[in-house]
């Protein structure tokens, strides 16, 4: 089983640890965090170092893959960490077993899908995305890197979501809509026109 290390140790990191246990996609060996002490216990794992320790720990075979456990309040940091480490270290995909994923859908490294997500025909989830519980990505929709979808986000067909977009809980995006990079929506937003 793959050994996974998580960047960050807040609520999202703890949730991803729990999800990894449920999914069987790997065992979390610990967290890298600049704001906590090495050896400190957080949830079901421990702090194994700061962000400066990541490369040395990987080279010493402490872990096999990374995941970013830093949430929507730090979207730029999430993207920067992924772009820094991805050329050097593999990133894990963690997918809850209750998700329904069409064989034609694509999910890239570093992405995390919580329970009951549905990916339809030709859905595309790029790297380092998080889809919380119950998200739906309909046919031929494309989600670029570093996005976070809160629970129950629904994309209709042929949507294109730019990088680092954060869609709030219950957001609905009508068909064939494009949303540019770094957009954030509030709870219950209904998007019926492109956001440029």
């Amino acid at each position: 089983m793959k050994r996974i290390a998580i960047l960050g140790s807040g609520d999202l990191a703890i949730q991803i640890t729990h999800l990894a246990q449920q999914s069987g996609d790997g065992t979390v060996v610990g967290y890298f965090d600049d704001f906590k002490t090495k050896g400190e216990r957080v949830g079901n794992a421990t702090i194994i170092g700061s962000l400066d320790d990541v490369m040395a720990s990987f080279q010493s075979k402490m872990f096999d893959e990374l995941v970013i456990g830093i949430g929507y309040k730090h979207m730029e940091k999430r993207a920067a960490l992924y772009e820094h480490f991805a050329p050097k270290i593999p990133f894990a995909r963690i997918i809850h077993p209750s998700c329904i994923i069409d064989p034609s859908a694509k999910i890239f490294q570093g992405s995390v899908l919580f329970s009951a997500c549905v990916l339809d025909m030709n859905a595309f989830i790029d790297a380092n995305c998080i889809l919380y519980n119950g998200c739906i990505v309909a046919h031929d929709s494309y989600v670029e890197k570093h996005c976070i979808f809160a629970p129950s986000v629904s994309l209709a067909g042929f949507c294109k979501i730019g990088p680092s977009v954060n869609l709030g809980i219950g957001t609905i995006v009508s068909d064939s809509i494009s949303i540019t990079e770094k957009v954030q929506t509030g709870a219950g937003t209904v998007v019926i026109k492109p956001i440029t």
Side-chain angles (χ1 to χ4, degrees):
M1 185 174 285
K2 291 178 180 175
R3 297 163 303 156
I4 298 169
I6 299 179
L7 305 183
S9 65
D11 293 337
L12 177 56
I14 293 169
Q15 290 170 346
I16 290 172
T17 301
H18 180 68
L19 177 62
Q21 291 168 346
Q22 291 181 311
S23 69
D25 288 327
T27 300
V28 173
V29 298
Y31 308 125
F32 291 100
D33 195 308
D34 287 344
F35 302 100
K36 291 184 179 158
T37 307
K38 186 175 181 179
E40 182 179 342
R41 190 81 179 165
V42 179
N44 292 328
T46 57
I47 304 299
I48 53 178
S50 69
L51 295 176
D52 289 338
D53 300 321
V54 172
M55 279 307 303
S57 299
F58 177 66
Q59 289 164 350
S60 67
K61 303 192 183 306
M62 182 181 285
F63 66 92
D64 305 307
E65 296 179 329
L66 281 174
V67 169
I68 296 177
I70 297 169
Y72 68 92
K73 293 181 180 177
H74 305 283
M75 295 292 282
E76 289 185 7
K77 183 69 170 177
R78 283 179 50 79
L81 285 171
Y82 180 83
E83 298 300 338
H84 176 72
F85 287 116
K88 310 161 196 170
I89 300 175
F91 274 72
R93 293 185 321 160
I94 303 176
I95 300 169
H96 192 276
S98 66
C99 293
I100 300 172
I101 300 170
D102 188 88
S104 64
K106 292 184 172 53
I107 305 166
F108 280 71
Q109 69 168 5
S111 287
V112 176
L113 275 62
F114 285 82
S115 62
C117 290
V118 177
L119 269 57
D120 200 1
M121 181 183 72
N122 297 326
F124 184 101
I125 307 298
D126 209 337
N128 192 35
C129 291
I130 295 175
L131 276 61
Y132 277 99
N133 315 70
C135 289
I136 298 172
V137 180
H139 65 93
D140 301 290
S141 283
Y142 187 102
V143 179
E144 293 195 43
K145 291 180 180 179
H146 318 307
C147 290
I148 296 181
F149 290 3
S152 300
V153 167
S154 296
L155 303 184
F158 298 107
C159 290
K160 182 166 174 46
I161 309 301
S164 298
V165 168
N166 175 23
L167 299 182
I169 187 168
T171 294
I172 297 171
V173 183
S174 190
D175 60 290
S176 305
I177 296 291
S178 293
I179 297 178
T180 194
E181 65 181 346
K182 299 181 181 178
V183 166
Q184 179 172 352
T185 65
T189 298
V190 179
V191 183
I192 59 172
K193 294 181 180 179
I195 300 177
T196 58

